[in-house]
Amino acid sequence: MSLSTATIAAGIAALTVSGVTIKDVDEIPETVNSRDCPILFPSPDGFVLGGNGEPETGSTTFGAPTTRLWTFNRTYRYVYLHEQAGATRGLKDVIGAMATKVDMIIEAVAEMDLTDVDVMRVNVSDLGVLEAPDGKAFFGCMFEITLRERMNNT
């Protein structure tokens, strides 16, 4: 596989999490309404957080640059919006259900099966109030998913 942010985003969008809509990078919403939730989508601000790459050690790293085995670690940031703030009495009313969905998302990401891609780490921010792209307040959290991608792994 060669490096492909689009392939990674499509792989995450294809995950199945009961009751959660997962969007691809070309489906980042400009507005989010209550009926859209729960929803997970690539962060419109800092989707790919950079990373680092280096040749793998061992005999497979010799040869032309186009055939050398490389590994890259990159982090992808996602926004999870569970429910619009104010739709119920407060965070205490939704935190149990939200935590359950967060656990389900973590499990789906950990089990993701993409060729030449390994899930290295899944970070979840504090559960609380986030702002949607249109400025509305939602209960939710941020996910930072660090993946190891292998290039020229043939």
Side-chain angles (χ1 to χ4, degrees):
M1 172 182 165
S2 59
L3 298 177
S4 176
T5 299
T7 300
I8 300 291
I12 292 172
L15 296 174
T16 300
V17 177
S18 179
V20 177
T21 302
I22 304 175
K23 298 290 189 177
D24 203 339
V25 73
D26 60 350
E27 301 172 317
I28 297 172
E30 292 183 18
T31 61
V32 178
N33 297 304
S34 291
R35 70 179 176 275
D36 300 323
C37 294
I39 185 170
L40 179 73
F41 57 89
S43 175
D45 181 25
F47 168 53
V48 180
L49 300 177
N52 60 63
E54 59 187 33
E56 277 286 327
T57 58
S59 60
T60 59
T61 63
F62 294 106
T66 57
T67 60
R68 265 184 225 137
L69 178 60
W70 277 73
T71 58
F72 289 84
N73 295 297
R74 298 195 289 180
T75 301
Y76 298 85
R77 183 183 291 157
Y78 278 76
V79 178
Y80 174 67
L81 302 178
H82 183 77
E83 181 178 295
Q84 190 164 5
T88 56
R89 283 181 258 150
L91 181 59
K92 67 178 178 53
D93 298 315
V94 299
I95 198 156
M98 184 166 50
T100 298
K101 292 294 186 193
V102 167
D103 289 345
M104 293 168 64
I105 293 167
I106 292 169
E107 289 173 9
V109 169
E111 295 170 357
M112 182 171 59
D113 186 18
L114 293 176
T115 302
D116 294 328
V117 175
D118 297 317
V119 178
M120 301 304 292
R121 182 175 46 241
V122 179
N123 292 337
V124 179
S125 71
D126 292 342
L127 306 183
V129 177
L130 295 179
E131 196 172 280
D134 58 357
K136 294 179 198 162
F138 286 82
F139 296 122
C141 63
M142 301 293 293
F143 282 84
E144 290 185 357
I145 304 164
T146 302
L147 303 175
R148 177 175 55 201
E149 303 168 61
R150 286 179 294 287
M151 189 174 83
N152 301 327
N153 190 28
T154 55

